[in-house]
Amino acid sequence: MRSANTDSAAFPGGRAWDHVDWPIVHRRVRGLQIRIAKATRDQDWRRVKALQRFLVNSYSAKALAVKRVSENDGKRTPGVDGEIWSTPEAKGRAIQRLDSRGLRPQPLRRVYIPKRGSTTKKRPLGIPVMIDRAQQALHLQGLEPVAETQADPHSYGFRRGRGVQDAIARVFNLLARRVSASWILEGDIRGCFDNFRHGWLEGHIPMETKVLSCQMLCLVNANLAECLDGGAS
């Protein structure tokens, strides 16, 4: 297997951000994701982890992660360190900083935003610093092929290339039959993500355990801060 840092053809001129060859970057990341999906389908978990490690250490994946968090809707919203990546120089430096060695996620910045459906109530929102967002986006590239390969073919929430229209079409196809169900039941699991055991997650999510543990610790601290806020109010 080639060294993870040999994809320099996409970064001419000293890997300057303005000269990144994005078609090459997308093609290389997509190719590795396809290989991860095939290894997942074959249940070759050793190969899955090896390919994920190769992917998250590549410059192409790091560049895409930085691009995602520095060009989305939250690009002007800083975390607790006040840092945003608004210049090509800052984005180029961010690529060099993306490394799981010595990873220590910073606390979330707590803000309150209006709660959907209410004009008076607000809900807390934790905002990570830019480098932590980029780490999440980086490792998502390795996890997504696994999730998409194993996911229910009829789930549509938070799935790439799927949306509300697909869910509506599926519901229509099920209910338009003569023998279709007469009732639709809507359910919600209370505190679903709050009650997952961390040990179970570490044992079942195929990614670098250290990175996963750091991200979960960050979420625990955020939930603790939310509880303290609630108790102080």
Side-chain angles (χ1 to χ4, degrees):
M1 187 175 286
R2 295 181 303 121
S3 168
N5 291 334
T6 58
D7 54 346
S8 56
F11 296 85
R15 295 193 173 104
W17 181 264
D18 289 336
H19 297 93
V20 174
D21 192 329
W22 292 110
I24 291 179
V25 166
H26 283 280
R27 186 163 63 248
R28 285 178 173 160
V29 170
R30 182 62 176 169
L32 280 170
Q33 289 179 322
I34 290 173
R35 293 170 64 187
I36 292 172
K38 289 180 178 178
T40 301
R41 185 183 59 196
D42 297 337
Q43 296 189 348
D44 188 348
W45 301 113
R46 180 177 297 181
R47 183 165 179 78
V48 167
K49 289 188 176 182
L51 288 168
Q52 286 178 325
R53 190 179 304 113
F54 184 78
L55 175 63
V56 300
N57 282 298
S58 70
Y59 266 90
S60 293
K62 291 178 181 180
L64 273 185
V66 172
K67 181 179 177 66
R68 177 171 182 170
V69 302
S70 63
E71 297 183 3
N72 62 12
D73 292 339
K75 62 185 178 182
R76 295 187 180 88
T77 306
V80 293
D81 60 357
E83 180 183 14
I84 58 173
W85 299 336
S86 57
T87 65
E89 292 76 18
K91 297 173 185 178
R93 289 192 299 269
I95 295 175
Q96 305 294 332
R97 292 168 56 193
L98 278 179
D99 193 339
S100 59
R101 290 174 295 182
L103 176 63
R104 296 185 63 182
Q106 297 187 49
L108 304 181
R109 182 165 73 90
R110 180 69 57 178
V111 298
Y112 290 86
I113 61 175
K115 196 171 185 177
R116 182 177 297 179
S118 174
T119 57
T120 57
K121 295 182 179 180
K122 294 186 176 183
R123 67 177 181 88
L125 178 66
I127 302 176
V129 296
M130 293 293 289
I131 192 66
D132 288 347
R133 287 181 239 174
Q135 284 282 5
Q136 294 170 4
L138 175 63
H139 287 274
L140 175 63
Q141 295 176 61
L143 272 177
E144 200 167 45
V146 179
E148 287 297 323
T149 302
Q150 297 186 314
D152 188 315
H154 301 303
S155 66
Y156 302 96
F158 305 100
R159 300 278 298 276
R160 184 183 293 273
R162 298 184 176 214
V164 176
Q165 294 84 353
D166 301 299
I168 292 174
R170 172 65 177 169
V171 170
F172 176 82
N173 290 334
L174 289 175
L175 298 181
R177 304 170 184 172
R178 291 183 178 180
V179 293
S180 62
S182 302
W183 297 90
I184 299 176
L185 300 180
E186 180 182 3
D188 187 17
I189 302 176
R190 182 178 180 181
C192 177
F193 294 105
D194 296 335
N195 295 300
F196 277 125
R197 295 196 309 274
H198 289 180
W200 187 93
L201 292 173
E202 291 178 350
H204 289 78
I205 297 180
M207 67 176 290
E208 189 175 343
T209 305
K210 178 182 177 181
V211 175
L212 180 60
S213 298
C214 286
Q215 296 299 335
M216 289 193 296
L217 178 61
C218 189
L219 291 175
V220 168
N221 291 337
N223 289 334
L224 178 60
E226 181 179 341
C227 293
L228 293 175
D229 287 347
S233 59

